Amino acid sequence: MPGMVLFGRRWAIASDDLVFPGVFELFVRVLWWVGILTLYLVHRGKLDCPGGVLLSSYLIVLIILLAVIICTVSAIVCVSMKGTICNPGPRKSMPKLLYVRLALFLPEMVWASLGAAWIEDGFQCDRTVGNGIIATVVVRAAAFSSLCRSWTIIASTAATIAIVFDPLGGKAAPCPAAAPHHLESPESSQLLNGLKTAATSVWETRIKFLCCCVGKDDRTRVAFSSTAELFSTYFSDTDLVPSDIAAGLALLHQQQDSVRNTQEPDQVVSRSPGPSQEADLDAELENCHHYMQFAAAAYGWPLYIYRNPFTGLCRIGGDCCRSRTTDYDLVGGDQLNCHFGSILQTTGLQYRDFIHVSFHDKVYELPFLVALDHRKESVVVAVRGTMSLQDILTDLSAESEPLDLECEVQDCWAHKGISQAARYVYRRLINDGILSQAFSIAPEYRLVVVGHSLGAGAAALLSIMLRTPYPRVRCYAFSPPRGLLSKSLYEYSKTFIVSLVLGKDVIPRLSVANLEDLKRRILRVIAHCNKPKYKILLRGCWYELFGGHPEDLPTELDGGDLTQPLLGERSLLAHGSPAYSFSSDSPLGSPTKYPHLYPPGRIIHLEEVGTSRRFSCYAAAQYSVKWSHESEFSKILIGPKMLTDHMPDILMRALDSVVSGRAACVSCPTQGGSSVDVA
């Protein structure tokens, strides 16, 4: 940070990003240089033959060229190690060194091409002396190997240039030194709007390329535009390069652990949970444990095979190859029999217990199933979570839209993509008569809606939509996204929705507002860092893999607020950025498009306790259980389990452990780990 300016444009790489690539190239080239020099010195006496002089000249020039390149790369590595992320001054000579290094590619490429031509023509040393045959083969093999390495390094460099190329760099580079009063001028505002439009167009092109197989209908195009606008708005107002973000996350994790280890106990009066609260927690935990099977079943055979890698195929293989005609309705998708076989294995139900199973999957249209759960006397609607590119586009359509509900709640706003998906399932359930069919079979049963991840968000919104026609509806949302409901809807949902969150799971903490907060925290921790980036990344990797003492983290935090944008020279792209408006309540500066949103319902939080190990493969984890307030999920926590805690199989194992443990201790005194927070 900031991105380097080369050839008059800004690139998505900083001058302190070249330590590790440079060290790797040095290692390869030094080995290569030593090998070629050794072969030349050992066999140079056997090259006095037709073609030998040419080969000898080629190797001598190659040795000299490699020596010059090694010196240049060594200088690049040494300069890249200097300074800090926010102090690129000691690295001001880096552009000149890179120009020299790039210039050396021309003779290297020419010499590699000439060597390839000479190798193709062949040499005649083996006709001159019998003893020269072996030497010629060895030297020619070395020459050919050097050619391969040359072209490999050239190709790798070209790929690296393509990766770090910033399509907006040519527009961003000319104006880093704009003064604040210049940023207020109409010309600058017009240029800023043009940059934002260009950034949105670039992101939309990238997303279309990555999702080229998704389709081109109207809904998909809308999702492309929504996602591109979110990305361009979020990333265009800072001069962070990817390695800066990685370093910031590593620092945040250590800072977070350091604060947790040193903070004083809360100065509040605590008391044990009342019997009614504890009984309610036990009942809801048992319900979560039961209905999580349906949320997992909605994923179909991929999750089942993942959970049962050795026996899964044998169990559902017969269903995959057998054609069936049943009373249930199968709509859309491929390999439905495989899906249905895994659903039966996961839920333990019979064929006749299923009313509808759909694996139709498009943008804003999620797979779901409807089944009769005789054990709990409920009609279960399970919505699948993220499993495809279409689902990811639904996730990333993060602007808010109003909900038209037949209830007394005011200001009903929700995540656009998830609300569209919930409306699709609602139309299928009501207009196609699926729920009517289910309740005609079991009219006394209760409606329960469940889902995991994206499916949890859709299930929560679906239960809100179904609240009027089915007042007894209940919802169990497993690892739902935080940025889902407006404040009024969040309060309304507490009476019939229960959410379950495991550990540091990032998704229940993920919203546009929290991402903006994370960006501010990254900028703040980088601003106070006095170590070079390569040391931060090395220390961060060691800490993530093996742990350690967070008090040794390489930062100096004085607790001050970041009040100025951390750009190289106050880039125009930071003008008006809400990332530096710390008092703003509206993420990304748009209260109507990206208002603060909240998770659904009451929240049960499972937290791992009694361990600081990075790898828990050899011991069963222990968990505490409590009711938590949504404010406990108002910040994204950094850690090695922030992604794995979201996996449905990990969540199922945690639920198994917690429920079995509480059942075994039903007659024991209440333990401090299984507590209920008292507001």
Side-chain angles (χ1 to χ4, degrees):
M1 193 174 98
M4 280 192 297
V5 177
L6 296 171
F7 303 107
R9 67 180 302 119
R10 193 176 299 277
W11 297 76
I13 187 171
S15 55
D16 54 358
D17 283 341
L18 303 175
V19 175
F20 299 119
V23 168
F24 177 75
E25 184 179 358
L26 271 179
F27 175 75
V28 173
R29 287 191 180 274
V30 167
L31 286 181
W32 181 9
W33 183 80
V34 170
I36 292 178
L37 180 62
T38 302
L39 285 172
Y40 174 75
L41 293 176
V42 170
H43 298 287
R44 62 180 175 176
K46 302 176 183 179
L47 296 177
D48 52 348
C49 56
V53 176
L54 190 62
L55 181 58
S56 176
S57 302
Y58 170 78
L59 291 177
I60 291 173
V61 173
L62 182 61
I63 290 170
I64 296 173
L65 183 60
L66 279 176
V68 174
I69 291 174
I70 287 171
C71 293
T72 305
V73 175
S74 299
I76 289 174
V77 171
C78 291
V79 172
S80 187
M81 288 179 172
K82 296 180 179 179
T84 64
I85 296 177
C86 292
N87 179 26
R91 303 188 296 272
K92 61 184 179 182
S93 60
M94 182 62 73
K96 296 177 182 177
L97 289 172
L98 287 177
Y99 287 140
V100 173
R101 177 66 190 92
L102 291 173
L104 289 173
F105 272 110
L106 181 60
E108 185 179 19
M109 191 179 303
V110 171
W111 207 242
S113 301
L114 290 175
W118 293 335
I119 289 288
E120 183 67 23
D121 291 340
F123 300 100
Q124 304 301 321
C125 286
D126 53 331
R127 298 180 183 176
T128 307
V129 230
N131 292 337
I133 295 176
I134 298 176
T136 302
V137 171
V138 170
V139 176
R140 286 175 65 183
F144 181 74
S145 175
S146 69
L147 291 175
C148 292
R149 291 193 183 97
S150 295
W151 285 111
T152 300
I153 291 177
I154 290 170
S156 300
T157 303
T160 302
I161 291 174
I163 291 171
V164 302
F165 177 77
D166 184 358
L168 298 175
K171 301 181 180 181
C175 50
H181 63 276
H182 291 154
L183 296 176
E184 302 297 336
S185 66
E187 293 81 5
S188 294
S189 298
Q190 184 178 0
L191 178 59
L192 178 65
N193 292 332
L195 287 172
K196 288 182 177 179
T197 302
T200 302
S201 177
V202 167
W203 276 107
E204 188 165 353
T205 302
R206 291 169 174 169
I207 294 166
K208 286 180 178 178
F209 175 77
L210 292 174
C211 304
C212 57
C213 58
V214 169
K216 297 182 179 180
D217 54 70
D218 291 340
R219 287 182 166 226
T220 303
R221 283 191 288 269
V222 170
F224 285 156
S225 299
S226 298
T227 305
E229 187 168 356
L230 174 66
F231 282 0
S232 64
T233 306
Y234 186 77
F235 289 110
S236 64
D237 60 356
T238 58
D239 201 11
L240 291 171
V241 298
S243 60
D244 295 332
I245 298 175
L249 292 175
L251 291 171
L252 277 180
H253 183 205
Q254 296 172 67
Q255 178 192 13
Q256 172 187 294
D257 287 354
S258 178
V259 170
R260 184 185 61 192
N261 292 344
T262 59
Q263 77 181 143
E264 296 293 328
D266 295 336
Q267 300 298 316
V268 295
V269 178
S270 60
R271 59 186 176 87
S272 300
S276 61
Q277 291 176 311
E278 188 70 14
D280 184 41
L281 180 60
D282 283 334
E284 295 296 5
L285 264 178
E286 200 279 328
N287 286 334
C288 287
H289 181 252
H290 176 77
Y291 287 115
M292 182 60 201
Q293 308 298 322
F294 291 88
Y299 282 99
W301 65 264
L303 179 60
Y304 185 77
I305 297 297
Y306 177 76
R307 292 180 59 212
N308 304 275
F310 301 110
T311 61
L313 261 173
C314 298
R315 293 178 181 176
I316 67 173
D319 289 320
C320 292
C321 305
R322 188 182 306 126
S323 60
R324 295 180 180 275
T325 57
T326 62
D327 295 333
Y328 59 82
D329 181 26
L330 293 175
V331 180
D334 297 322
Q335 298 179 329
L336 291 176
N337 286 333
C338 287
H339 283 307
F340 203 77
S342 67
I343 291 171
L344 293 174
Q345 292 287 339
T346 303
T347 61
L349 301 183
Q350 304 296 319
Y351 290 100
R352 62 178 179 273
D353 297 327
F354 287 87
I355 306 298
H356 186 94
V357 178
S358 169
F359 278 90
H360 170 80
D361 188 14
K362 293 181 67 176
V363 176
Y364 304 149
E365 297 177 3
L366 299 179
F368 67 96
L369 63 88
V370 180
L372 300 177
D373 178 18
H374 302 296
R375 176 184 164 189
K376 291 286 186 178
E377 296 188 344
S378 58
V379 174
V380 180
V381 178
V383 187
R384 196 190 74 180
T386 303
M387 275 282 288
S388 65
L389 289 175
Q390 292 92 330
D391 299 336
I392 293 174
L393 289 173
T394 301
D395 285 316
L396 293 175
S397 297
E399 58 266 56
S400 299
E401 68 175 16
L403 290 181
D404 185 15
L405 300 174
E406 298 177 2
C407 64
E408 68 282 0
V409 183
Q410 303 297 321
D411 297 324
C412 299
W413 291 81
H415 182 290
K416 174 186 173 181
I418 300 178
S419 68
Q420 293 281 348
R423 282 195 185 98
Y424 162 76
V425 180
Y426 177 85
R427 289 194 299 269
R428 296 294 308 275
L429 293 176
I430 300 300
N431 297 345
D432 294 355
I434 297 172
L435 285 184
S436 298
Q437 179 185 352
F439 282 104
S440 67
I441 299 173
E444 72 282 3
Y445 280 15
R446 182 178 197 169
L447 178 61
V448 177
V449 188
V450 302
H452 173 265
S453 188
L454 169 62
L461 283 170
L462 179 60
S463 64
I464 293 174
M465 296 174 184
L466 292 169
R467 177 75 165 167
T468 300
Y470 298 94
R472 297 175 61 213
V473 65
R474 295 283 294 176
C475 175
Y476 292 93
F478 302 97
S479 307
R482 175 178 175 82
L484 184 65
L485 305 175
S486 61
K487 181 70 172 179
S488 56
L489 274 181
Y490 158 68
E491 296 292 345
Y492 174 70
S493 68
K494 286 182 177 180
T495 58
F496 58 96
I497 298 178
V498 172
S499 294
L500 184 76
V501 177
L502 174 62
K504 294 183 178 180
D505 186 353
V506 67
I507 300 301
R509 297 172 170 86
L510 194 62
S511 67
V512 177
N514 282 8
L515 281 174
E516 193 70 18
D517 171 73
L518 177 64
K519 181 168 68 176
R520 290 194 294 264
R521 290 158 58 201
I522 288 175
L523 291 171
R524 186 182 294 114
V525 76
I526 286 176
H528 291 83
C529 177
N530 66 339
K531 300 292 183 182
K533 188 190 297 182
Y534 78 95
K535 289 187 177 181
I536 296 173
L537 294 175
L538 285 174
R539 167 66 178 166
C541 290
W542 180 271
Y543 187 78
E544 295 298 332
L545 291 174
F546 306 108
H549 300 288
E551 61 266 19
D552 296 331
L553 76 159
T555 58
E556 290 181 355
L557 301 173
D558 58 12
D561 286 335
L562 179 65
T563 57
Q564 296 295 328
L566 294 178
L567 303 178
E569 295 180 1
R570 198 183 260 277
S571 168
L572 178 62
L573 288 176
H575 172 54
S577 167
Y580 308 103
S581 302
F582 286 87
S583 61
S584 173
D585 290 332
S586 175
L588 302 182
S590 176
T592 56
K593 197 164 194 177
Y594 299 106
H596 280 273
L597 298 178
Y598 299 84
R602 296 183 298 161
I603 303 172
I604 298 176
H605 191 198
L606 309 184
E607 288 186 281
E608 190 172 353
V609 295
T611 178
S612 59
R613 60 185 181 276
R614 289 293 185 266
F615 305 102
S616 54
C617 302
Y618 305 105
Q622 300 295 319
Y623 297 92
S624 66
V625 188
K626 65 177 182 178
W627 289 111
S628 294
H629 191 264
E630 60 83 17
S631 60
E632 297 183 37
F633 306 93
S634 60
K635 286 185 180 296
I636 294 175
L637 300 181
I638 310 302
K641 294 186 177 181
M642 61 187 293
L643 297 178
T644 57
D645 279 349
H646 185 68
M647 298 299 292
D649 59 312
I650 303 294
L651 182 56
M652 293 175 77
R653 284 204 294 268
L655 273 172
D656 289 341
S657 173
V658 169
V659 172
S660 61
R662 290 174 75 89
C665 292
V666 102
S667 59
C668 300
T670 303
Q671 299 181 14
S674 299
S675 61
V676 181
D677 279 354
V678 181

